[in-house]
Short mmCIF file of all heavy atoms in Angstrom, two decimals:
data_model
loop_
_atom_site.label_atom_id
_atom_site.label_comp_id
_atom_site.label_asym_id
_atom_site.label_seq_id
_atom_site.Cartn_x
_atom_site.Cartn_y
_atom_site.Cartn_z
N THR O 71 -56.58 32.35 6.80
CA THR O 71 -57.25 33.66 6.89
C THR O 71 -56.38 34.76 6.29
O THR O 71 -56.90 35.70 5.71
CB THR O 71 -57.60 34.03 8.35
OG1 THR O 71 -56.41 34.03 9.12
CG2 THR O 71 -58.59 33.06 8.94
N GLN O 72 -55.06 34.60 6.38
CA GLN O 72 -54.19 35.64 5.84
C GLN O 72 -54.04 35.52 4.32
O GLN O 72 -53.80 36.50 3.63
CB GLN O 72 -52.81 35.58 6.50
CG GLN O 72 -52.86 36.08 7.93
CD GLN O 72 -51.60 35.82 8.70
OE1 GLN O 72 -50.72 35.06 8.27
NE2 GLN O 72 -51.48 36.42 9.87
N ARG O 73 -54.15 34.31 3.79
CA ARG O 73 -53.94 34.09 2.36
C ARG O 73 -55.24 34.00 1.58
O ARG O 73 -55.21 33.71 0.40
CB ARG O 73 -53.16 32.78 2.15
CG ARG O 73 -51.78 32.79 2.73
CD ARG O 73 -50.81 33.43 1.80
NE ARG O 73 -49.48 33.41 2.37
CZ ARG O 73 -48.48 34.11 1.89
NH1 ARG O 73 -48.65 34.86 0.84
NH2 ARG O 73 -47.29 34.06 2.45
N ILE O 74 -56.35 34.22 2.25
CA ILE O 74 -57.65 33.92 1.64
C ILE O 74 -57.85 34.63 0.30
O ILE O 74 -58.41 34.08 -0.63
CB ILE O 74 -58.78 34.24 2.63
CG1 ILE O 74 -60.04 33.44 2.31
CG2 ILE O 74 -59.14 35.71 2.68
CD1 ILE O 74 -60.18 32.21 3.10
N ARG O 75 -57.36 35.87 0.20
CA ARG O 75 -57.60 36.62 -1.03
C ARG O 75 -56.75 36.11 -2.19
O ARG O 75 -57.03 36.38 -3.35
CB ARG O 75 -57.33 38.10 -0.80
CG ARG O 75 -55.90 38.43 -0.51
CD ARG O 75 -55.70 39.91 -0.32
NE ARG O 75 -54.34 40.22 0.01
CZ ARG O 75 -53.85 40.17 1.25
NH1 ARG O 75 -54.63 39.84 2.25
NH2 ARG O 75 -52.59 40.46 1.47
N GLU O 76 -55.65 35.38 -1.84
CA GLU O 76 -54.76 34.93 -2.90
C GLU O 76 -55.08 33.52 -3.38
O GLU O 76 -54.49 33.03 -4.32
CB GLU O 76 -53.31 34.95 -2.40
CG GLU O 76 -52.85 36.36 -2.11
CD GLU O 76 -51.61 36.35 -1.23
OE1 GLU O 76 -50.85 35.39 -1.30
OE2 GLU O 76 -51.44 37.32 -0.47
N ARG O 77 -56.01 32.88 -2.67
CA ARG O 77 -56.29 31.49 -3.02
C ARG O 77 -56.98 31.40 -4.38
O ARG O 77 -57.93 32.08 -4.65
CB ARG O 77 -57.17 30.84 -1.96
CG ARG O 77 -56.41 30.57 -0.68
CD ARG O 77 -57.34 30.08 0.38
NE ARG O 77 -57.64 28.68 0.19
CZ ARG O 77 -56.88 27.70 0.63
NH1 ARG O 77 -55.78 27.97 1.27
NH2 ARG O 77 -57.21 26.45 0.44
N ALA O 78 -56.46 30.53 -5.20
CA ALA O 78 -57.06 30.33 -6.53
C ALA O 78 -58.38 29.60 -6.37
O ALA O 78 -58.62 28.94 -5.37
CB ALA O 78 -56.10 29.52 -7.37
N SER O 79 -59.23 29.74 -7.36
CA SER O 79 -60.51 29.02 -7.29
C SER O 79 -60.23 27.52 -7.36
O SER O 79 -59.25 27.07 -7.94
CB SER O 79 -61.40 29.44 -8.44
OG SER O 79 -60.73 29.19 -9.65
N GLN O 80 -61.13 26.77 -6.74
CA GLN O 80 -60.93 25.32 -6.65
C GLN O 80 -60.99 24.67 -8.03
O GLN O 80 -61.84 25.01 -8.83
CB GLN O 80 -62.05 24.73 -5.79
CG GLN O 80 -62.12 25.34 -4.41
CD GLN O 80 -61.45 24.47 -3.39
OE1 GLN O 80 -61.51 23.26 -3.48
NE2 GLN O 80 -60.79 25.07 -2.43
N GLU O 81 -60.06 23.77 -8.26
CA GLU O 81 -60.10 23.04 -9.53
C GLU O 81 -61.13 21.93 -9.41
O GLU O 81 -61.32 21.38 -8.33
CB GLU O 81 -58.74 22.38 -9.80
CG GLU O 81 -57.61 23.37 -9.96
CD GLU O 81 -56.28 22.72 -9.63
OE1 GLU O 81 -56.19 21.48 -9.69
OE2 GLU O 81 -55.37 23.46 -9.29
N PRO O 82 -61.79 21.60 -10.52
CA PRO O 82 -62.75 20.50 -10.40
C PRO O 82 -62.04 19.19 -10.05
O PRO O 82 -60.94 18.92 -10.55
CB PRO O 82 -63.38 20.40 -11.79
CG PRO O 82 -62.77 21.46 -12.62
CD PRO O 82 -61.69 22.12 -11.87
N LEU O 83 -62.69 18.42 -9.18
CA LEU O 83 -62.08 17.17 -8.74
C LEU O 83 -61.90 16.21 -9.91
O LEU O 83 -60.96 15.42 -9.94
CB LEU O 83 -62.97 16.53 -7.67
CG LEU O 83 -62.39 15.37 -6.88
CD1 LEU O 83 -61.18 15.82 -6.10
CD2 LEU O 83 -63.42 14.80 -5.94
N ASP O 84 -62.81 16.33 -10.90
CA ASP O 84 -62.74 15.42 -12.04
C ASP O 84 -61.43 15.56 -12.81
O ASP O 84 -61.02 14.65 -13.50
CB ASP O 84 -63.92 15.67 -12.99
CG ASP O 84 -65.22 15.21 -12.36
OD1 ASP O 84 -65.15 14.48 -11.36
OD2 ASP O 84 -66.28 15.61 -12.86
N ASP O 85 -60.78 16.73 -12.68
CA ASP O 85 -59.50 16.90 -13.37
C ASP O 85 -58.50 15.84 -12.96
O ASP O 85 -57.56 15.53 -13.69
CB ASP O 85 -58.88 18.27 -13.02
CG ASP O 85 -59.63 19.38 -13.72
OD1 ASP O 85 -60.58 19.07 -14.46
OD2 ASP O 85 -59.27 20.55 -13.49
N LEU O 86 -58.67 15.34 -11.74
CA LEU O 86 -57.70 14.37 -11.25
C LEU O 86 -58.11 12.94 -11.57
O LEU O 86 -57.36 12.01 -11.36
CB LEU O 86 -57.55 14.52 -9.74
CG LEU O 86 -56.91 15.82 -9.33
CD1 LEU O 86 -57.33 16.19 -7.92
CD2 LEU O 86 -55.41 15.71 -9.42
N ALA O 87 -59.34 12.80 -12.07
CA ALA O 87 -59.84 11.45 -12.32
C ALA O 87 -59.32 10.93 -13.66
O ALA O 87 -60.06 10.70 -14.60
CB ALA O 87 -61.36 11.46 -12.32
N VAL O 88 -58.03 10.79 -13.76
CA VAL O 88 -57.43 10.34 -15.02
C VAL O 88 -57.43 8.81 -15.07
O VAL O 88 -57.59 8.13 -14.06
CB VAL O 88 -55.98 10.87 -15.16
CG1 VAL O 88 -55.98 12.37 -15.31
CG2 VAL O 88 -55.13 10.44 -13.98
N GLU O 89 -57.23 8.32 -16.25
CA GLU O 89 -57.19 6.88 -16.45
C GLU O 89 -56.00 6.28 -15.71
O GLU O 89 -54.88 6.75 -15.83
CB GLU O 89 -57.05 6.60 -17.95
CG GLU O 89 -57.11 5.16 -18.34
CD GLU O 89 -58.44 4.51 -17.99
OE1 GLU O 89 -59.48 5.10 -18.33
OE2 GLU O 89 -58.41 3.45 -17.36
N THR O 90 -56.26 5.29 -14.89
CA THR O 90 -55.16 4.72 -14.12
C THR O 90 -54.75 3.34 -14.61
O THR O 90 -53.74 2.80 -14.18
CB THR O 90 -55.55 4.60 -12.63
OG1 THR O 90 -56.76 3.90 -12.54
CG2 THR O 90 -55.67 5.97 -12.00
N ALA O 91 -55.53 2.77 -15.54
CA ALA O 91 -55.20 1.43 -16.02
C ALA O 91 -53.83 1.43 -16.66
O ALA O 91 -53.47 2.32 -17.40
CB ALA O 91 -56.25 0.99 -17.03
N GLY O 92 -53.06 0.40 -16.36
CA GLY O 92 -51.76 0.25 -16.97
C GLY O 92 -50.65 1.00 -16.24
O GLY O 92 -49.48 0.84 -16.55
N GLN O 93 -51.00 1.82 -15.25
CA GLN O 93 -49.96 2.54 -14.52
C GLN O 93 -49.44 1.65 -13.40
O GLN O 93 -50.15 0.75 -12.94
CB GLN O 93 -50.54 3.83 -13.94
CG GLN O 93 -50.90 4.83 -15.01
CD GLN O 93 -51.60 6.03 -14.41
OE1 GLN O 93 -52.49 5.88 -13.59
NE2 GLN O 93 -51.19 7.19 -14.81
N ASP O 94 -48.21 1.90 -12.99
CA ASP O 94 -47.68 1.03 -11.95
C ASP O 94 -48.32 1.35 -10.60
O ASP O 94 -48.96 2.39 -10.41
CB ASP O 94 -46.15 1.07 -11.91
CG ASP O 94 -45.63 2.42 -11.54
OD1 ASP O 94 -46.35 3.19 -10.91
OD2 ASP O 94 -44.47 2.70 -11.89
N GLN O 95 -48.13 0.45 -9.65
CA GLN O 95 -48.83 0.54 -8.37
C GLN O 95 -48.51 1.85 -7.63
O GLN O 95 -49.40 2.47 -7.06
CB GLN O 95 -48.45 -0.68 -7.51
CG GLN O 95 -49.30 -0.86 -6.27
CD GLN O 95 -50.79 -1.00 -6.57
OE1 GLN O 95 -51.19 -1.53 -7.62
NE2 GLN O 95 -51.63 -0.50 -5.67
N ALA O 96 -47.23 2.24 -7.69
CA ALA O 96 -46.83 3.46 -6.95
C ALA O 96 -47.56 4.68 -7.48
O ALA O 96 -48.01 5.54 -6.73
CB ALA O 96 -45.32 3.66 -7.08
N LEU O 97 -47.69 4.72 -8.81
CA LEU O 97 -48.36 5.85 -9.44
C LEU O 97 -49.84 5.87 -9.06
O LEU O 97 -50.42 6.93 -8.78
CB LEU O 97 -48.20 5.75 -10.96
CG LEU O 97 -48.44 7.03 -11.76
CD1 LEU O 97 -47.51 8.13 -11.30
CD2 LEU O 97 -48.28 6.78 -13.24
N ILE O 98 -50.43 4.69 -9.05
CA ILE O 98 -51.86 4.59 -8.69
C ILE O 98 -52.06 5.04 -7.24
O ILE O 98 -52.98 5.79 -6.93
CB ILE O 98 -52.37 3.14 -8.89
CG1 ILE O 98 -52.39 2.82 -10.39
CG2 ILE O 98 -53.77 2.97 -8.32
CD1 ILE O 98 -52.59 1.35 -10.71
N GLU O 99 -51.15 4.61 -6.37
CA GLU O 99 -51.25 5.01 -4.96
C GLU O 99 -51.11 6.51 -4.81
O GLU O 99 -51.83 7.15 -4.05
CB GLU O 99 -50.16 4.31 -4.14
CG GLU O 99 -50.60 2.93 -3.67
CD GLU O 99 -49.49 2.20 -2.94
OE1 GLU O 99 -48.52 2.85 -2.51
OE2 GLU O 99 -49.60 0.96 -2.82
N ARG O 100 -50.16 7.07 -5.59
CA ARG O 100 -49.93 8.51 -5.52
C ARG O 100 -51.19 9.25 -6.00
O ARG O 100 -51.61 10.25 -5.44
CB ARG O 100 -48.71 8.89 -6.34
CG ARG O 100 -48.19 10.27 -6.02
CD ARG O 100 -46.75 10.48 -6.39
NE ARG O 100 -46.49 10.25 -7.80
CZ ARG O 100 -45.56 9.43 -8.26
NH1 ARG O 100 -44.81 8.75 -7.44
NH2 ARG O 100 -45.36 9.30 -9.55
N GLU O 101 -51.76 8.70 -7.06
CA GLU O 101 -52.98 9.29 -7.62
C GLU O 101 -54.11 9.27 -6.59
O GLU O 101 -54.84 10.25 -6.42
CB GLU O 101 -53.38 8.46 -8.85
CG GLU O 101 -54.34 9.16 -9.78
CD GLU O 101 -53.69 10.32 -10.48
OE1 GLU O 101 -52.59 10.15 -11.03
OE2 GLU O 101 -54.29 11.40 -10.41
N ARG O 102 -54.24 8.14 -5.90
CA ARG O 102 -55.31 8.03 -4.88
C ARG O 102 -55.07 9.02 -3.74
O ARG O 102 -55.99 9.65 -3.24
CB ARG O 102 -55.39 6.60 -4.34
CG ARG O 102 -56.10 5.63 -5.27
CD ARG O 102 -56.75 4.50 -4.48
NE ARG O 102 -55.82 3.85 -3.58
CZ ARG O 102 -55.20 2.71 -3.83
NH1 ARG O 102 -55.41 2.06 -4.95
NH2 ARG O 102 -54.36 2.19 -2.95
N GLY O 103 -53.79 9.12 -3.33
CA GLY O 103 -53.43 10.07 -2.27
C GLY O 103 -53.78 11.50 -2.68
O GLY O 103 -54.29 12.28 -1.88
N GLN O 104 -53.51 11.82 -3.95
CA GLN O 104 -53.76 13.16 -4.46
C GLN O 104 -55.26 13.45 -4.52
O GLN O 104 -55.72 14.53 -4.16
CB GLN O 104 -53.13 13.27 -5.86
CG GLN O 104 -52.97 14.70 -6.36
CD GLN O 104 -52.12 15.55 -5.43
OE1 GLN O 104 -51.15 15.07 -4.85
NE2 GLN O 104 -52.53 16.80 -5.23
N ARG O 105 -56.04 12.45 -4.96
CA ARG O 105 -57.51 12.60 -5.01
C ARG O 105 -58.07 12.82 -3.61
O ARG O 105 -58.94 13.65 -3.40
CB ARG O 105 -58.15 11.34 -5.62
CG ARG O 105 -58.27 11.38 -7.12
CD ARG O 105 -58.84 10.06 -7.64
NE ARG O 105 -60.18 9.80 -7.14
CZ ARG O 105 -61.29 10.29 -7.69
NH1 ARG O 105 -61.21 11.06 -8.74
NH2 ARG O 105 -62.47 10.00 -7.19
N LEU O 106 -57.53 12.06 -2.66
CA LEU O 106 -58.00 12.18 -1.28
C LEU O 106 -57.67 13.58 -0.74
O LEU O 106 -58.50 14.23 -0.10
CB LEU O 106 -57.33 11.10 -0.41
CG LEU O 106 -57.59 11.18 1.08
CD1 LEU O 106 -59.09 11.10 1.39
CD2 LEU O 106 -56.86 10.06 1.83
N LEU O 107 -56.45 14.04 -1.03
CA LEU O 107 -56.03 15.37 -0.56
C LEU O 107 -56.97 16.45 -1.11
O LEU O 107 -57.40 17.36 -0.39
CB LEU O 107 -54.58 15.63 -0.98
CG LEU O 107 -53.96 16.96 -0.58
CD1 LEU O 107 -53.97 17.13 0.92
CD2 LEU O 107 -52.53 17.06 -1.10
N GLU O 108 -57.29 16.35 -2.40
CA GLU O 108 -58.21 17.31 -3.02
C GLU O 108 -59.58 17.27 -2.34
O GLU O 108 -60.20 18.31 -2.09
CB GLU O 108 -58.38 17.02 -4.51
CG GLU O 108 -57.21 17.49 -5.36
CD GLU O 108 -57.05 19.00 -5.31
OE1 GLU O 108 -58.06 19.73 -5.24
OE2 GLU O 108 -55.89 19.46 -5.30
N ALA O 109 -60.05 16.05 -2.05
CA ALA O 109 -61.36 15.91 -1.41
C ALA O 109 -61.34 16.50 0.01
O ALA O 109 -62.26 17.19 0.42
CB ALA O 109 -61.76 14.44 -1.37
N ILE O 110 -60.23 16.25 0.73
CA ILE O 110 -60.09 16.78 2.10
C ILE O 110 -60.12 18.31 2.07
O ILE O 110 -60.74 18.96 2.91
CB ILE O 110 -58.76 16.30 2.74
CG1 ILE O 110 -58.78 14.78 2.93
CG2 ILE O 110 -58.43 17.05 4.02
CD1 ILE O 110 -59.35 14.28 4.21
N ARG O 111 -59.44 18.88 1.06
CA ARG O 111 -59.40 20.35 0.97
C ARG O 111 -60.79 20.94 0.75
O ARG O 111 -61.03 22.09 1.04
CB ARG O 111 -58.51 20.77 -0.20
CG ARG O 111 -57.04 20.70 0.10
CD ARG O 111 -56.27 21.20 -1.10
NE ARG O 111 -54.84 20.97 -0.94
CZ ARG O 111 -54.04 20.57 -1.92
NH1 ARG O 111 -54.52 20.37 -3.12
NH2 ARG O 111 -52.77 20.40 -1.69
N ARG O 112 -61.68 20.15 0.21
CA ARG O 112 -63.04 20.65 -0.07
C ARG O 112 -63.97 20.54 1.13
O ARG O 112 -65.08 21.07 1.09
CB ARG O 112 -63.65 19.86 -1.22
CG ARG O 112 -63.00 20.22 -2.52
CD ARG O 112 -63.56 19.38 -3.60
NE ARG O 112 -63.00 19.81 -4.85
CZ ARG O 112 -63.66 19.81 -6.00
NH1 ARG O 112 -64.88 19.38 -6.04
NH2 ARG O 112 -63.07 20.23 -7.09
N LEU O 113 -63.55 19.82 2.15
CA LEU O 113 -64.40 19.71 3.34
C LEU O 113 -64.45 21.04 4.08
O LEU O 113 -63.46 21.78 4.07
CB LEU O 113 -63.85 18.63 4.29
CG LEU O 113 -63.88 17.18 3.79
CD1 LEU O 113 -63.21 16.28 4.83
CD2 LEU O 113 -65.30 16.71 3.54
N ALA O 114 -65.57 21.30 4.73
CA ALA O 114 -65.66 22.50 5.57
C ALA O 114 -64.65 22.36 6.72
O ALA O 114 -64.31 21.23 7.10
CB ALA O 114 -67.06 22.64 6.13
N LEU O 115 -64.20 23.49 7.23
CA LEU O 115 -63.12 23.49 8.23
C LEU O 115 -63.31 22.49 9.38
O LEU O 115 -62.39 21.71 9.67
CB LEU O 115 -62.93 24.91 8.76
CG LEU O 115 -61.86 25.07 9.83
CD1 LEU O 115 -60.47 24.85 9.25
CD2 LEU O 115 -61.95 26.46 10.44
N PRO O 116 -64.49 22.45 10.04
CA PRO O 116 -64.60 21.53 11.19
C PRO O 116 -64.39 20.06 10.79
O PRO O 116 -63.82 19.29 11.56
CB PRO O 116 -66.05 21.74 11.68
CG PRO O 116 -66.48 23.03 11.09
CD PRO O 116 -65.72 23.21 9.82
N TYR O 117 -64.84 19.71 9.58
CA TYR O 117 -64.70 18.31 9.14
C TYR O 117 -63.28 18.03 8.64
O TYR O 117 -62.74 16.95 8.84
CB TYR O 117 -65.74 18.01 8.05
CG TYR O 117 -67.14 18.38 8.47
CD1 TYR O 117 -68.00 19.07 7.64
CD2 TYR O 117 -67.59 18.06 9.76
CE1 TYR O 117 -69.27 19.43 8.06
CE2 TYR O 117 -68.85 18.42 10.19
CZ TYR O 117 -69.69 19.11 9.34
OH TYR O 117 -70.94 19.47 9.76
N ARG O 118 -62.70 19.01 7.99
CA ARG O 118 -61.32 18.84 7.52
C ARG O 118 -60.38 18.60 8.70
O ARG O 118 -59.50 17.75 8.66
CB ARG O 118 -60.88 20.09 6.76
CG ARG O 118 -59.61 19.89 5.97
CD ARG O 118 -59.04 21.17 5.45
NE ARG O 118 -60.03 22.06 4.88
CZ ARG O 118 -59.76 23.31 4.51
NH1 ARG O 118 -58.53 23.78 4.62
NH2 ARG O 118 -60.69 24.08 4.02
N GLN O 119 -60.60 19.37 9.77
CA GLN O 119 -59.70 19.24 10.92
C GLN O 119 -59.77 17.85 11.53
O GLN O 119 -58.73 17.22 11.76
CB GLN O 119 -60.06 20.29 11.98
CG GLN O 119 -59.69 21.71 11.54
CD GLN O 119 -59.87 22.74 12.63
OE1 GLN O 119 -60.81 22.65 13.42
NE2 GLN O 119 -58.99 23.71 12.68
N VAL O 120 -60.98 17.35 11.78
CA VAL O 120 -61.06 16.02 12.41
C VAL O 120 -60.58 14.93 11.46
O VAL O 120 -59.90 13.99 11.88
CB VAL O 120 -62.48 15.65 12.92
CG1 VAL O 120 -62.87 16.49 14.11
CG2 VAL O 120 -63.52 15.71 11.84
N MET O 121 -60.90 15.08 10.17
CA MET O 121 -60.55 14.01 9.24
C MET O 121 -59.03 13.89 9.07
O MET O 121 -58.49 12.79 9.04
CB MET O 121 -61.24 14.26 7.89
CG MET O 121 -61.24 13.09 6.95
SD MET O 121 -61.58 11.47 7.69
CE MET O 121 -63.34 11.45 7.84
N THR O 122 -58.33 15.03 8.99
CA THR O 122 -56.87 14.93 8.85
C THR O 122 -56.25 14.28 10.08
O THR O 122 -55.26 13.56 9.96
CB THR O 122 -56.23 16.33 8.64
OG1 THR O 122 -56.72 17.21 9.64
CG2 THR O 122 -56.52 16.89 7.27
N LEU O 123 -56.85 14.49 11.24
CA LEU O 123 -56.30 13.91 12.46
C LEU O 123 -56.63 12.41 12.56
O LEU O 123 -55.79 11.61 12.98
CB LEU O 123 -56.79 14.66 13.70
CG LEU O 123 -56.34 16.13 13.75
CD1 LEU O 123 -56.90 16.82 14.98
CD2 LEU O 123 -54.83 16.24 13.73
N ILE O 124 -57.84 12.05 12.12
CA ILE O 124 -58.20 10.62 12.07
C ILE O 124 -57.23 9.88 11.14
O ILE O 124 -56.76 8.79 11.44
CB ILE O 124 -59.66 10.44 11.57
CG1 ILE O 124 -60.64 10.63 12.72
CG2 ILE O 124 -59.89 9.12 10.86
CD1 ILE O 124 -60.72 9.45 13.67
N LEU O 125 -56.92 10.53 10.01
CA LEU O 125 -56.05 9.89 9.02
C LEU O 125 -54.60 9.80 9.51
O LEU O 125 -53.81 9.03 8.98
CB LEU O 125 -56.12 10.63 7.68
CG LEU O 125 -57.49 10.59 7.01
CD1 LEU O 125 -57.49 11.41 5.73
CD2 LEU O 125 -57.93 9.16 6.73
N GLU O 126 -54.28 10.61 10.52
CA GLU O 126 -52.96 10.50 11.15
C GLU O 126 -52.99 9.52 12.31
O GLU O 126 -52.10 9.51 13.16
CB GLU O 126 -52.47 11.87 11.63
CG GLU O 126 -52.12 12.85 10.51
CD GLU O 126 -51.00 12.38 9.59
OE1 GLU O 126 -50.24 11.48 9.98
OE2 GLU O 126 -50.93 12.91 8.47
N ASP O 127 -54.05 8.72 12.38
CA ASP O 127 -54.15 7.64 13.35
C ASP O 127 -54.28 8.14 14.80
O ASP O 127 -53.75 7.52 15.72
CB ASP O 127 -52.89 6.74 13.23
CG ASP O 127 -53.23 5.30 13.56
OD1 ASP O 127 -54.43 5.00 13.70
OD2 ASP O 127 -52.30 4.49 13.72
N MET O 128 -54.99 9.23 14.96
CA MET O 128 -55.19 9.72 16.33
C MET O 128 -56.53 9.23 16.86
O MET O 128 -57.49 9.07 16.10
CB MET O 128 -55.15 11.25 16.34
CG MET O 128 -53.73 11.79 16.23
SD MET O 128 -53.69 13.58 16.10
CE MET O 128 -54.06 14.07 17.78
N SER O 129 -56.58 9.03 18.17
CA SER O 129 -57.83 8.56 18.79
C SER O 129 -58.80 9.75 18.93
O SER O 129 -58.39 10.91 18.83
CB SER O 129 -57.54 7.99 20.17
OG SER O 129 -57.12 9.03 21.03
N TYR O 130 -60.08 9.44 19.20
CA TYR O 130 -61.06 10.50 19.40
C TYR O 130 -60.65 11.41 20.57
O TYR O 130 -60.84 12.62 20.52
CB TYR O 130 -62.45 9.91 19.67
CG TYR O 130 -63.20 9.45 18.44
CD1 TYR O 130 -62.54 9.16 17.25
CD2 TYR O 130 -64.58 9.29 18.47
CE1 TYR O 130 -63.22 8.73 16.13
CE2 TYR O 130 -65.29 8.87 17.34
CZ TYR O 130 -64.60 8.58 16.18
OH TYR O 130 -65.29 8.17 15.07
N GLU O 131 -60.11 10.79 21.62
CA GLU O 131 -59.71 11.57 22.80
C GLU O 131 -58.59 12.56 22.43
O GLU O 131 -58.60 13.72 22.84
CB GLU O 131 -59.23 10.65 23.94
CG GLU O 131 -60.31 9.87 24.64
CD GLU O 131 -60.86 8.70 23.79
OE1 GLU O 131 -60.16 8.27 22.84
OE2 GLU O 131 -61.99 8.25 24.07
N GLU O 132 -57.62 12.06 21.64
CA GLU O 132 -56.50 12.92 21.25
C GLU O 132 -56.99 14.06 20.34
O GLU O 132 -56.54 15.20 20.46
CB GLU O 132 -55.44 12.10 20.51
CG GLU O 132 -54.63 11.20 21.42
CD GLU O 132 -53.66 10.31 20.65
OE1 GLU O 132 -54.01 9.83 19.56
OE2 GLU O 132 -52.54 10.09 21.16
N ILE O 133 -57.93 13.74 19.45
CA ILE O 133 -58.47 14.77 18.55
C ILE O 133 -59.23 15.81 19.37
O ILE O 133 -59.09 17.02 19.13
CB ILE O 133 -59.38 14.14 17.48
CG1 ILE O 133 -58.57 13.21 16.58
CG2 ILE O 133 -60.06 15.22 16.64
CD1 ILE O 133 -59.40 12.39 15.61
#
Side-chain angles (χ1 to χ4, degrees):
Chain O
T71 57
Q72 288 170 348
R73 297 277 181 192
I74 204 97
R75 66 178 177 276
E76 295 162 28
R77 288 173 79 84
S79 58
Q80 303 261 324
E81 297 156 22
L83 192 62
D84 290 346
D85 287 359
L86 292 155
V88 293
E89 184 62 49
T90 53
Q93 292 174 314
D94 64 23
Q95 191 58 32
L97 199 58
I98 292 168
E99 274 176 17
R100 196 158 58 233
E101 198 68 50
R102 282 208 308 261
Q104 196 58 37
R105 272 176 62 84
L106 174 59
L107 180 59
E108 282 297 325
I110 295 272
R111 281 183 188 140
R112 289 177 175 215
L113 293 176
L115 179 68
Y117 307 134
R118 193 191 316 172
Q119 289 187 323
V120 290
M121 194 42 81
T122 50
L123 297 179
I124 277 284
L125 296 177
E126 291 299 341
D127 212 10
M128 283 175 75
S129 67
Y130 280 21
E131 287 74 20
E132 286 175 322
I133 296 172

